[in-house]
Amino acid sequence: MTADRPDPARELVLEVLDGCGPLARREAEQLGTVVSEEPTELRLAVPDLTAAIPIARSWRRVVAASAVLSLPARRPRELLETSAQQRIGELIEQVRRAKPRQRFGALRLRAAGADSPDMRRLSAAIAEHAGLPVADDGDLVVRVRRALAAGQWELLVRLTPRPLSTRSWRTGDYPGAVNATIAASCLDLLGVGPQDELLDMTCGSGTFLIEQLHEVAPRRVVGVDLSEQALELARGHQRAARRRGRIDWVHGDVLETPLEGGFTRLVSNPPWGTLHGEHESNEQLLGDLMSRAAELAAPRARLAILTHEIRRMHAALEGRADWRLVDEHRFFQKGHHPRLFLLARG
């Protein structure tokens, strides 16, 4: 460890989606100092790890957060030594004490060569210290990797049984539902405040609107979708989230359903490609959504459209006088590359 690096026992490593990093960094810097940054990982120095852990568990733009411990070792088997095992056990206990009611069921080791004899012995030793069995689907996730510094290995203990991006309120799955971490980042870019009136034109199972209630409840919130099944899930998700603020869920086609206008913020994650709809018809749909949004929008409103149909979205924007492009923001998630088009009225 170099002199200008903070104590590794006071660091968190944050997994982020490429494209969410700047928003995740802003969220994380409320707790500490970002000391290194990559497209899919932030390293955060915190003054007090125990005090930081409960706050980190509430982050909404971070996929997962782990406490990190740097240990001197040339090879994994040296992590089995008594002094290393003692420090590993102390870190796991520190993570547990930060939220005593949180229970882990089994340990899972993630590492290159996880099936090697040394890594299997390390997994068994850590599990014994933790008083847990080892399982392929274990929820106490421990990652082991080489550190950048020579002669060092890092051990990362995830703070939560599930990734932060796996929202506890999501009681049912809906095909095409937007990733919650991306949704929170999109809403940041859209800039929704308590004075706004927010419309999700294709709300599906409600991710955008429920994520918004975790930040601030706008003056009016409306979600519209063609699927009654999706809206039933959305209502259930809203109940499970237990957030203050009313959402009016409307069953119907947003292009035709009568709605009171005056929305200052509008958002849509419309069908795309092979999952929902068809590429050719989606270009027409994108144009129709923008026209309908213009009818329902207040002066100086903003519209955010998250879509994989990049070329068709650009084609639908050509020659429009009702919306102007303010920004395009790229996200990367498991082979998908959705893009947020941020538009301003007129």
Side-chain angles (χ1 to χ4, degrees):
M1 181 177 65
T2 60
D4 60 343
R5 284 295 303 278
D7 181 356
R10 294 182 180 176
E11 286 187 351
L12 296 175
V13 166
L14 315 181
E15 297 175 55
V16 298
L17 291 177
D18 195 349
C20 295
L23 292 314
R25 176 172 184 145
R26 188 171 68 186
E27 185 173 42
E29 284 181 331
Q30 298 175 10
L31 188 58
T33 303
V34 173
V35 294
S36 68
E37 182 175 7
E38 299 177 10
T40 59
E41 182 177 292
L42 304 176
R43 186 180 290 260
L44 182 74
V46 295
D48 183 339
L49 182 61
T50 299
I53 288 173
I55 299 171
R57 287 184 171 125
S58 68
W59 285 335
R60 313 200 66 76
R61 297 138 189 98
V62 174
V63 172
S66 301
V68 60
L69 181 65
S70 183
L71 295 165
R74 290 169 296 175
R75 53 185 64 88
R77 70 181 61 177
E78 295 178 21
L79 300 176
L80 290 164
E81 295 177 359
T82 301
S83 59
Q85 286 295 305
Q86 182 177 354
R87 292 185 66 190
I88 293 169
E90 289 172 352
L91 180 59
I92 290 174
E93 185 57 28
Q94 190 174 10
V95 170
R96 283 172 149 173
R97 284 199 310 267
K99 191 174 183 182
R101 294 183 181 180
Q102 177 176 272
R103 294 288 183 265
F104 294 98
L107 181 134
R108 170 162 46 111
L109 189 73
R110 289 174 50 193
D115 291 330
S116 69
D118 284 344
M119 285 298 182
R120 286 184 177 274
R121 285 195 291 271
L122 179 59
S123 178
I126 296 173
E128 184 177 357
H129 273 285
L132 297 172
V134 176
D136 290 341
D137 60 350
D139 53 7
L140 177 57
V141 177
V142 177
R143 286 193 289 158
V144 179
R145 67 186 187 184
R146 288 186 184 274
L148 292 177
Q152 297 277 327
W153 282 73
E154 287 186 338
L155 185 137
L156 296 85
V157 179
R158 196 172 72 189
L159 304 183
T160 51
R162 300 193 301 177
L164 296 174
S165 58
T166 304
R167 304 301 201 231
S168 60
W169 51 259
R170 197 183 290 281
T171 57
D173 293 327
Y174 185 70
V178 62
N179 175 279
T181 306
I182 291 178
S185 299
C186 289
L187 291 164
D188 284 343
L189 296 168
L190 183 58
V192 184
Q195 75 288 348
D196 284 310
E197 300 191 24
L198 174 63
L199 170 65
D200 188 340
M201 303 179 73
T202 51
C203 67
S205 56
T207 303
F208 274 119
L209 301 185
I210 294 167
E211 283 297 313
Q212 180 57 48
L213 292 189
H214 278 85
E215 298 299 319
V216 61
R219 184 168 57 186
R220 178 167 63 126
V221 184
V222 179
V224 183
D225 203 272
L226 281 167
S227 170
E228 183 57 51
Q229 176 190 5
L231 292 175
E232 189 58 34
L233 279 173
R235 295 184 188 100
H237 290 161
Q238 184 185 6
R239 289 191 295 269
R242 299 180 180 179
R243 308 304 298 180
R244 292 183 179 180
R246 173 180 172 178
I247 301 176
D248 293 323
W249 303 106
V250 179
H251 180 217
D253 185 343
V254 72
L255 302 179
E256 301 176 353
T257 299
L259 294 169
E260 182 181 349
F263 292 100
T264 56
R265 295 290 185 269
L266 304 93
V267 65
S268 178
N269 175 34
W272 57 277
T274 57
L275 186 59
H276 289 299
E278 298 177 354
H279 289 296
E280 290 72 17
S281 60
N282 285 345
E283 183 174 328
Q284 180 65 45
L285 174 61
L286 289 167
D288 291 343
L289 284 170
M290 285 188 281
S291 296
R292 179 60 169 153
E295 295 173 0
L296 297 170
R300 296 183 296 279
R302 292 218 163 185
L303 167 64
I305 297 180
L306 182 69
T307 180
H308 294 70
E309 302 277 17
I310 312 303
R311 182 173 62 82
R312 288 177 169 82
M313 182 65 187
H314 279 291
L317 278 168
E318 287 183 7
R320 298 199 71 95
D322 48 4
W323 295 103
R324 58 182 175 85
L325 182 62
V326 175
D327 189 25
E328 293 181 44
H329 191 89
R330 297 168 175 81
F331 297 99
F332 300 87
Q333 180 203 5
K334 295 181 179 179
H336 297 305
H337 307 98
R339 191 175 301 183
L340 183 74
F341 287 79
L342 187 60
L343 311 173
R345 188 74 172 90

